[in-house]
Amino acid sequence: MADEIPRGLAERFFRLCLYLLGGALALWATVWLIGQFWGWLLIIGIIAAVLCVAVAVYRYWWGRW
């Protein structure tokens, strides 16, 4: 990479702005997508937690660890 041309300050600033814009758009899209089905994610999380607790109680009750 010794033959790489050094970039000017304006080009680096422009690339930084593009990266920030892309990051902001990605964050917005992520929040929007989660907002569309956050209830389902919450239900799935609750079901998974209940199953984990049920397995732990079963193993404790019958296996005495």
Side-chain angles (χ1 to χ4, degrees):
M1 305 228 176
D3 57 346
E4 186 176 323
I5 300 171
R7 296 190 176 107
L9 185 60
E11 185 178 352
R12 290 192 306 186
F13 179 72
F14 180 70
R15 284 180 183 254
L16 174 67
C17 289
L18 286 179
Y19 289 143
L20 289 175
L21 178 64
L25 287 175
L27 187 61
W28 172 80
T30 303
V31 169
W32 180 78
L33 282 173
I34 289 174
Q36 294 297 312
F37 52 89
W38 71 270
W40 291 106
L41 291 175
L42 185 64
I43 290 171
I44 291 170
I46 289 171
I47 290 171
V50 167
L51 286 174
C52 287
V53 168
V55 167
V57 167
Y58 176 79
R59 288 182 66 186
Y60 177 75
W61 188 263
W62 293 106
R64 300 286 187 201
W65 280 351

